[in-house]
Amino acid sequence: MFRFNLSLLPNPNRKTLARIFLLSILCILSYLFGVYLNSRSLFPNSVSNLTDNCIHEPNFTAKVSPSAAAGGAPLNFEARHSAASSLQLLPLPPIEFCEGNSTDYCPCQDPQRERRFHTQDLFHRERHCPGPEERRRCRVPRPEGYRTPVRWPESRDSVWFANVPSTRLTVAKKDQNWVKVEGDRLIFPGGGTSFPAGVKGYVADMADLVPLKTGEIRTVLDIGCGVASFGGRLLDFNIMTLSVAPRDVHEAQVQFALERGLPAMLGVLSTLRLPHPSRSFDMAHCARCLIPWTAHDGLYLLEIDRVLRPGGYWVLSGPPINWKSMYQGWKRTPQDLQAEQAAIDDLARRLCWEKVVEKGPIAVWRKPRNHVLCRKSSQSTKFVPLCEGRDPDAAWYEKMGTCTTPLPIAKATNEVAGGSLKLWPERLWATPPRITSGSLKGITVDAFNHDTKIWEERVSYYNSYISLESSGRFRNIMDMNADLGGFAAALSEYPVWVMNVVPSDAKDDTLGVIFERGLIGTYMDWCEAFSTYPRTYDLIHAAGLLSLYMDRCDILDILLEIDRILRPAGVVIIRDHVDVVAKAKTAADRLNWQSRIVHTQLGPFHAEKILIVDNSLGPGSR
């Protein structure tokens, strides 16, 4: 028999025995722990797959490719812990549709509410928003027979009548060819009160008087816009026109404009400043808008002066221009019209404007590049005094004033106050003067360039989800928190226009920068309703907006306003912190939106997420 010889084995020391003992203990503990974890899966309220269901520390360098992200499953941020799941909370009820005739409901320009306010100086046409006790928490329905809007560029010339079923303008302006009904469509022939030969000929005549073709004029304000045919024709010159008109007896003119895919919003010259910063527009235009320009010590023309950039143009056609030939058709006396034009000329002179030309029905003035010569010659000419102690850019519920808005200080007579602008389209990418001058603290040239690059990446990433290249699907776009306008700039290659909105209480007032880039926009308080009709935007973008308003108003109310102004098959992109996006998802479900949460281009470990709403994917509205 074989015998084991113990003398051949090594004699272990205490250190070796201790190591063996410790290793044995660790193996036993590891085994027991594994048994414990496996046993937990047998219980109904256990938490499994911790790696998949828990949020890890942010990794700010991780990125996701657009193609991979688009193919991924929607993210779910519902509670998975046993305590939360045991509560079995009932889902919140859906938001119902408004009752009655509310298809065109505009909360802050409601014809029913405006009856409470006096009509002097059109005060009743200004914004009068309902308070919390009057706010309607319901969805605005679409009109009966509503159809998917006609796509751009066909929409510039015709739209579905069922989408804007208003005949008032077709009757009132029948002889002037503004708009007419043909079958199931509204047709826009390009006529108007001041366009007897058509808007195309009118703009062609204007191009001989002001530099529409050079890129110097990019942003235009059209006051009393009709159906925005003037702004539509200026697109041929790469000029972006914001058309403004009140909700008056011509009721649906702004709604017509937006249905056509043309920039427009409700507004009026009454007592409040227009919601734009000083030095915004390259040109302002009025074609027979019947505004008393010299009334109230020139209040309205002084507001035009405020929003015109240095060297900008003011174009006026209709009464009293060319009164000698037209007074009989206007049914006014020559003396009355002559006195009105003399008063306008005098006020323009006291604003230091130069009258460039008057030809036929069109007169053109130009604002000075600076106030150097004006102030020097003030002793010989009674200039309108400069405003003192007022922020020239403050324009949200800010009263107009009977004083001249001062321009930034210039040293030389040929210097453009505030800085000169590049010609379009170079202007879009050049650093705006408000940044190079240092007037916006903390926003440097490098920060601007970085922001531009970031938004090019983000828009490219969005494109993997919503297909911006889709022909004509998107035309009217809104950026609810536009910052420096990077989102709109990144969309410049597409046939779209963007309403850039800067919250009125934002940390940095960047709307002036947006206009200097050749883009258009407005101030806004998103605890209120926007100055537009329902169903007027195809795509609405909100980055960081809900976080800004978390402590001011309910997220649901902001999303209800988005629902009101969004077209039924429209898209919403909400970009924010994951906690905020999760709350927005809950509200989106109550609105019956087709939505999902996805990662940003920075990947799964970044705290920022995106809520993508695409109502074309399923039923979302009535």
Side-chain angles (χ1 to χ4, degrees):
M1 176 180 284
F2 176 77
R3 293 183 177 180
F4 194 83
N5 190 353
L6 294 175
S7 63
L8 297 176
L9 294 174
N11 185 22
N13 55 32
R14 294 183 177 180
K15 188 175 183 180
T16 301
L17 290 174
R19 288 179 178 175
I20 294 172
F21 178 75
L22 181 60
L23 181 62
S24 300
I25 294 297
L26 289 175
C27 290
I28 294 170
L29 290 175
S30 178
Y31 172 77
L32 293 174
F33 184 66
V35 171
Y36 169 75
L37 288 181
N38 288 333
S39 67
R40 284 179 62 85
S41 63
L42 301 175
F43 295 92
N45 290 331
S46 64
V47 178
S48 61
N49 297 325
L50 294 177
T51 303
D52 295 332
N53 292 338
C54 291
I55 298 176
H56 300 272
E57 289 298 315
N59 179 354
F60 293 97
T61 60
K63 294 190 178 183
V64 176
S65 68
S67 58
L75 305 182
N76 186 354
F77 293 95
E78 293 181 0
R80 289 180 172 82
H81 301 288
S82 58
S85 59
S86 64
L87 293 176
Q88 298 181 344
L89 296 175
L90 294 175
L92 293 170
I95 303 297
E96 301 295 334
F97 284 93
C98 304
E99 299 296 331
N101 185 20
S102 57
T103 58
D104 294 329
Y105 179 53
C106 301
C108 298
Q109 285 91 3
D110 181 13
Q112 301 302 318
R113 294 194 78 254
E114 74 175 27
R115 294 175 182 174
R116 308 177 190 178
F117 307 99
H118 66 78
T119 60
Q120 185 179 356
D121 302 324
L122 299 179
F123 177 73
H124 61 306
R125 306 287 191 203
E126 289 190 334
R127 287 176 58 87
H128 300 289
C129 301
E133 69 285 353
E134 295 181 274
R135 187 169 293 139
R136 302 172 68 180
R137 273 203 166 179
C138 56
R139 302 179 65 192
V140 174
R142 53 176 123 171
E144 184 178 353
Y146 184 89
R147 304 173 64 172
T148 300
V150 176
R151 293 193 169 187
W152 182 265
E154 183 185 355
S155 62
R156 182 166 73 167
D157 300 318
S158 69
V159 301
W160 300 121
F161 174 77
N163 291 8
V164 195
S166 174
T167 58
R168 181 169 293 183
L169 272 177
T170 63
V171 175
K173 300 295 181 179
K174 182 178 181 180
D175 297 335
Q176 297 175 24
N177 240 9
W178 280 27
V179 56
K180 57 184 179 180
V181 180
E182 289 186 2
D184 57 1
R185 294 213 181 201
L186 289 164
I187 308 298
F188 302 93
T193 308
S194 293
F195 315 145
V199 69
K200 185 175 182 179
Y202 176 80
V203 171
D205 290 341
M206 189 178 298
D208 294 331
L209 308 178
V210 292
L212 300 181
K213 304 175 183 179
T214 64
E216 178 185 348
I217 295 175
R218 165 62 183 174
T219 57
V220 172
L221 176 66
D222 187 18
I223 298 289
C225 62
V227 294
S229 292
F230 174 71
R233 187 53 55 185
L234 286 182
L235 288 172
D236 296 340
F237 299 90
N238 285 322
I239 292 174
M240 186 63 62
T241 304
L242 178 57
S243 299
V244 176
R247 184 171 183 167
D248 56 12
V249 293
H250 295 154
E251 195 165 328
Q253 52 192 330
V254 165
Q255 193 174 23
F256 280 137
L258 287 159
E259 188 70 19
R260 298 175 70 185
L262 302 173
M265 63 184 293
L266 290 165
V268 64
L269 282 172
S270 175
T271 65
L272 299 176
R273 285 179 170 181
L274 297 170
H276 316 292
S278 64
R279 300 180 283 131
S280 297
F281 295 93
D282 305 322
M283 186 173 93
H285 170 261
C286 168
R288 201 177 182 182
C289 50
L290 305 180
I291 292 174
W293 294 109
T294 59
H296 311 297
D297 296 320
L299 188 70
Y300 305 135
L301 202 57
L302 286 165
E303 177 61 5
I304 296 298
D305 179 77
R306 185 185 72 85
V307 299
L308 269 183
R309 71 168 176 84
Y313 297 86
W314 184 53
V315 180
L316 179 65
S317 66
I321 308 303
N322 200 28
W323 60 269
K324 292 180 181 179
S325 301
M326 300 297 295
Y327 73 91
Q328 290 180 329
W330 294 334
K331 297 180 180 180
R332 292 176 60 183
T333 66
Q335 295 80 8
D336 177 35
L337 290 164
Q338 184 179 19
E340 182 180 342
Q341 179 154 352
I344 291 175
D345 283 331
D346 178 65
L347 179 56
R349 189 164 44 249
R350 292 192 293 116
L351 285 170
C352 208
W353 289 5
E354 174 193 3
K355 191 168 190 179
V356 177
V357 65
E358 180 177 335
K359 184 178 180 181
I362 301 174
V364 181
W365 288 263
R366 191 174 190 187
K367 181 177 176 176
R369 291 183 175 87
N370 55 59
H371 283 159
V372 175
L373 287 179
C374 301
R375 298 306 117 190
K376 287 182 178 180
S377 58
S378 60
Q379 294 181 352
S380 58
T381 304
K382 189 179 180 181
F383 288 106
V384 179
L386 291 175
C387 302
E388 295 182 0
R390 297 194 68 183
D391 181 355
D393 293 341
W396 187 248
Y397 290 117
E398 187 80 11
K399 292 282 188 180
M400 286 188 282
T402 55
C403 52
T404 305
T405 301
L407 294 174
I409 296 174
K411 297 179 181 179
T413 57
N414 60 348
E415 180 183 346
V416 178
S420 60
L421 301 175
K422 301 288 186 181
L423 299 180
W424 181 264
E426 184 183 357
R427 165 179 177 178
L428 179 63
W429 309 109
T431 307
R434 295 187 194 225
I435 293 179
T436 56
S437 67
S439 60
L440 286 177
K441 295 182 179 179
I443 302 179
T444 63
V445 175
D446 288 342
F448 171 79
N449 292 332
H450 178 70
D451 182 80
T452 299
K453 182 179 179 181
I454 287 295
W455 279 108
E456 288 176 345
E457 294 176 357
R458 290 177 176 179
V459 168
S460 176
Y461 184 75
Y462 293 160
N463 196 34
S464 65
Y465 286 103
I466 61 174
S467 300
L468 288 163
E469 290 97 344
S470 180
S471 178
R473 181 186 177 190
F474 301 109
R475 174 60 185 171
N476 303 348
I477 296 179
M478 175 181 285
D479 191 358
M480 298 177 71
N481 189 20
D483 195 30
L484 300 176
F487 174 70
L491 288 171
S492 61
E493 63 181 286
Y494 303 107
V496 303
W497 67 272
V498 180
M499 177 66 78
N500 294 280
V501 181
V502 172
S504 56
D505 56 352
K507 177 183 176 182
D508 297 310
D509 181 1
T510 55
L511 191 53
V513 166
I514 288 170
F515 274 98
E516 287 182 341
R517 298 187 76 172
L519 305 169
I520 59 172
T522 181
Y523 293 114
M524 178 62 193
D525 180 350
W526 283 113
C527 290
E528 299 179 356
F530 193 75
S531 293
T532 192
Y533 284 85
R535 304 173 301 280
T536 47
Y537 285 90
D538 305 299
L539 169 62
I540 297 178
H541 177 257
L545 179 86
L546 298 184
S547 291
L548 183 65
Y549 282 90
M550 283 292 289
D551 298 327
R552 292 196 50 213
C553 45
D554 197 316
I555 281 181
L556 179 60
D557 290 327
I558 295 178
L559 266 60
L560 267 170
E561 176 59 8
I562 294 176
D563 186 70
R564 184 184 74 87
I565 67 179
L566 184 70
R567 283 174 169 170
V571 169
V572 182
I573 300 174
I574 296 175
R575 185 186 193 102
D576 221 309
H577 188 275
V578 58
D579 294 339
V580 178
V581 169
K583 292 179 180 179
K585 177 68 169 79
T586 300
D589 291 343
R590 296 185 66 189
L591 293 168
N592 201 25
W593 285 356
Q594 308 304 306
S595 65
R596 58 175 173 159
I597 299 175
V598 301
H599 299 303
T600 69
Q601 77 281 4
L602 297 176
F605 304 131
H606 197 273
E608 191 178 53
K609 301 300 172 190
I610 303 173
L611 179 67
I612 300 282
V613 179
D614 190 345
N615 288 323
S616 69
L617 301 178
S621 57
R622 186 172 72 186

